[in-house]
Amino acid sequence: MKLILAPMEGVVDFHMRQLLSKLGGFDLCVTEFIRVVDATFPDRVFYRYCRELHNSGYTEAGTPVRIQLLGQNAEALAENAVKAVSLGSHGIDLNFGCPAKTVNKSKGGAVLLKEPEQIYQIVNTVRQAVCSSQEVSAKVRLGFDDDTRSQEIVDAVSQAHASSIAIHARTKKQGYRPPAYWEKIKPLKASTTINVVANGEVWTKDDYIRCKERSGCDDVMLGRGALARPDLAKQIHSFNNNQPYQLLKWHDVVDHIYHSSMHCDGGNSEKYFANRTKQWLAYLKLAYPEATHFFDKIRRLKATDEILREMEIELAN
């Protein structure tokens, strides 16, 4: 029963992976996608997206990290996959689920769901290029405009001998609008021998239980729910192991964000910390009413020191 931290462009970066994996419960993290066109990237690009490569591909808490690639050129994807693994990535993930218009216009992400044969070609080429001891996984949706080709999509990934497939239980057209159709994953899982991971609308432990029951999957990928409840993976992990668990309180969340600021090094850290904290609060509002009030206090602040000062006041109350 694995829990995987989903790749989320512009949200789940190195700093977020460090913080969430430190809280515990995750068995694997997947990076934001690296968009591949036709070139093999230099090492520095992989290190920029996955700084955990400096630590043999693990977060500080010891959670393995897998680099995700996105594109349509099978050969270029394979070459970059080989390099990523050689640098320490724990396998390779291929993105066929991103619904962003800019990505789809360049024939990457979810638009490839219209072409299962192209998905097969990409996965097969990468699988043959990457050492057999390394996993090659794929992230898909149920389809593009509808789910009529969902079986073809899963067959394409399976027949290309991928290690696993994560299925976001919605189409590209449905985006992130609830509900997620977990029950549509179940027959797809029954049709393949590769591991299937369920994804979509898991915000609570109870959602996780329902997702497993309706999808038939043992493994689940957490995305926005892990941002709204940073200890969701730990809570689920404790539940699966029949261990008691004390839910993270708002004060604890602020404390974790406060101490995560020490990881925000680099030339853009001032802008980064302010923007990322506000961005994260938008998710935290869904689980913690206090987040709305705190967001109002810092919404006009830009300097890291100013935001940290407000956090110190919040922690002192």
Side-chain angles (χ1 to χ4, degrees), residues 78-99:
E79 291 170 3
N80 282 282
V82 170
K83 174 166 274 195
V85 167
S86 72
L87 294 174
S89 174
H90 292 262
I92 290 294
D93 191 65
L94 298 168
N95 184 321
F96 303 111
C98 179

Side-chain angles (χ1 to χ4, degrees), residues 180-253:
Y181 301 93
W182 300 319
E183 66 279 2
K184 294 189 176 184
I185 296 177
K186 198 164 193 173
L188 299 173
K189 182 180 184 299
S191 72
T192 182
T193 58
I194 67 173
N195 188 47
V196 178
V197 180
N199 176 230
E201 290 299 305
V202 178
W203 296 90
T204 66
K205 182 192 72 176
D206 289 342
D207 289 338
Y208 166 80
I209 294 170
R210 286 191 293 269
C211 175
K212 287 188 63 179
E213 290 175 348
R214 294 179 189 176
S215 69
C217 296
D218 290 324
D219 299 344
V220 174
M221 180 174 278
L222 305 179
R224 294 173 298 159
L227 297 177
R229 291 178 172 82
D231 63 338
L232 178 58
K234 182 64 175 178
Q235 181 186 357
I236 293 171
H237 176 82
S238 299
F239 167 77
N240 284 335
N241 289 278
N242 297 311
Q243 298 170 342
Y245 182 70
Q246 183 68 42
L247 294 177
L248 207 62
K249 293 182 170 53
W250 170 246
H251 185 279
D252 302 317
V253 174

Side-chain angles (χ1 to χ4, degrees), residues 119-314:
I119 290 177
Y120 169 83
Q121 184 62 36
I122 290 171
V123 177
N124 186 55
T125 303
V126 172
R127 177 66 280 176
Q128 291 187 36
V130 172
C131 176
S132 60
S133 64
Q134 295 284 349
E135 292 194 10
V136 173
S137 54
K139 177 84 186 306
V140 305
R141 286 172 172 261
L142 292 173
F144 194 80
D145 291 318
D146 55 49
D147 61 7
T148 55
R149 304 192 74 179
S150 59
Q151 187 64 64
E152 291 180 69
I153 293 165
V154 172
D155 287 346
V157 175
S158 179
Q159 291 167 13
H161 304 293
S163 308
S164 65
I165 181 171
I167 304 176
H168 184 121
R170 282 179 282 227
T171 63
K172 184 272 180 189
K173 185 176 182 179
Q174 289 164 339
Y176 295 98
R177 296 189 304 275
Y181 301 93
W182 300 319
E183 66 279 2
K184 294 189 176 184
I185 296 177
K186 198 164 193 173
L188 299 173
K189 182 180 184 299
S191 72
T192 182
T193 58
I194 67 173
N195 188 47
V196 178
V197 180
N199 176 230
E201 290 299 305
V202 178
W203 296 90
T204 66
K205 182 192 72 176
D206 289 342
D207 289 338
Y208 166 80
I209 294 170
R210 286 191 293 269
C211 175
K212 287 188 63 179
E213 290 175 348
R214 294 179 189 176
S215 69
C217 296
D218 290 324
D219 299 344
V220 174
M221 180 174 278
L222 305 179
R224 294 173 298 159
L227 297 177
R229 291 178 172 82
D231 63 338
L232 178 58
K234 182 64 175 178
Q235 181 186 357
I236 293 171
H237 176 82
S238 299
F239 167 77
N240 284 335
N241 289 278
N242 297 311
Q243 298 170 342
Y245 182 70
Q246 183 68 42
L247 294 177
L248 207 62
K249 293 182 170 53
W250 170 246
H251 185 279
D252 302 317
V253 174
V254 176
D255 187 61
H256 281 291
I257 298 175
Y258 180 84
H259 285 96
S260 75
S261 66
M262 67 183 65
H263 294 292
C264 295
D265 49 1
N268 296 319
S269 61
E270 191 78 6
K271 181 179 179 181
Y272 168 88
F273 184 71
N275 291 343
R276 182 49 51 88
T277 301
K278 295 171 188 176
Q279 184 182 34
W280 196 8
L281 284 168
Y283 289 99
L284 290 169
K285 290 177 185 178
L286 302 175
Y288 296 94
E290 302 94 331
T292 300
H293 175 67
F294 188 70
F295 177 81
D296 290 338
K297 290 174 64 177
I298 70 167
R299 64 188 309 169
R300 292 184 176 82
L301 302 181
K302 297 180 180 179
T304 297
D305 288 346
E306 292 177 322
I307 293 176
L308 291 178
R309 194 172 304 118
E310 289 297 331
M311 286 186 178
E312 289 169 354
I313 294 172
E314 190 81 0

Side-chain angles (χ1 to χ4, degrees), residues 30-84:
V30 181
T31 71
E32 301 167 278
F33 65 76
I34 301 176
R35 191 184 304 189
V36 176
V37 180
D38 56 11
T40 302
F41 291 115
D43 294 0
R44 67 175 181 275
V45 173
F46 296 98
Y47 283 108
R48 184 169 74 245
Y49 279 87
C50 184
R51 287 172 54 182
E52 293 92 345
L53 294 177
H54 292 292
N55 188 40
S56 301
Y58 292 94
T59 67
E60 291 178 1
T63 306
V65 181
R66 181 173 300 167
I67 288 177
Q68 185 181 82
L69 303 178
L70 176 149
Q72 60 166 313
N73 186 319
E75 289 72 24
L77 285 163
E79 291 170 3
N80 282 282
V82 170
K83 174 166 274 195

